Amino acid sequence: MPFVIAAVVIVGVVSALNLVLTLAVIRRLRHVEEHGGAVTPSLLPVGATIPELAQVGRPAVIGFFDTECDACTAQLQPFLDLARAYTPERVLAVVSGPGDEKYTGRLRDSARVIAEPAGGPVCLAFANSAFPAFYLLDEAGTVRSRAVTVAGLGTPVTA
């Protein structure tokens, strides 16, 4: 009988530990989902000079979108709202993936749009592997702010 009691106690403790770990994983997954699906995105650091390939005027806002990314779809309208603070020549949107027409059509009036396959030259120049990704540049063309959400960029830079 003491062995049965010990076994039940051990199973109870292991089950409680399993529940705590499962709740921690769920919490972490929610955090990842809220931040555009990237925990540690590969973005150019603040203070970096943007690659010559992507110079579109200064200050500038640059956004990277993937057509197969749900977080990108959610960030499209906030990006368009931010783009209104600039002339279209000072906003660059890079769209990767199949079916890019749904993005390019909406972005065309607010930004200069580059549609390229995944791993295209602009994404390579920025070493961009996270989608969505956004950059806010200052007058010198250096990264002032970077984020995986438009809200994470902060306030626009005025000329």
Side-chain angles (χ1 to χ4, degrees):
M1 189 65 159
F3 294 113
V4 173
I5 293 172
V8 169
V9 168
I10 290 173
V11 168
V13 169
V14 170
S15 296
L17 180 62
N18 185 33
L19 178 63
V20 168
L21 291 174
T22 301
L23 291 174
V25 168
I26 290 171
R27 186 174 173 198
R28 182 67 173 166
L29 287 174
R30 283 186 182 154
H31 175 78
V32 168
E33 185 177 76
E34 289 171 1
H35 292 87
V39 179
T40 54
S42 173
L43 301 176
L44 289 177
V46 171
T49 302
I50 62 167
E52 195 64 35
L53 177 66
Q55 297 270 346
V56 292
R58 297 181 194 128
V61 139
I62 302 173
F64 290 88
F65 299 93
D66 188 312
T67 59
E68 297 177 327
C69 166
D70 292 335
C72 295
T73 303
Q75 291 299 311
L76 184 58
Q77 189 56 51
F79 183 77
L80 289 168
D81 294 340
L82 177 63
R84 286 192 200 117
Y86 301 92
T87 60
E89 297 79 32
R90 294 191 168 186
V91 179
L92 175 65
V94 180
V95 181
S96 297
D100 57 31
E101 301 83 23
K102 72 178 182 178
Y103 281 88
T104 57
R106 289 188 64 192
L107 289 163
R108 190 170 294 125
D109 294 334
S110 302
R112 187 175 135 213
V113 181
I114 297 174
E116 65 180 19
V122 178
C123 285
L124 287 176
F126 276 82
N128 191 58
S129 63
F131 291 98
F134 304 99
Y135 294 94
L136 194 58
L137 309 172
D138 65 13
E139 294 84 11
T142 58
V143 176
R144 176 175 175 249
S145 180
R146 64 190 174 74
V148 294
T149 62
V150 173
L153 285 176
T155 57
V157 179
T158 54

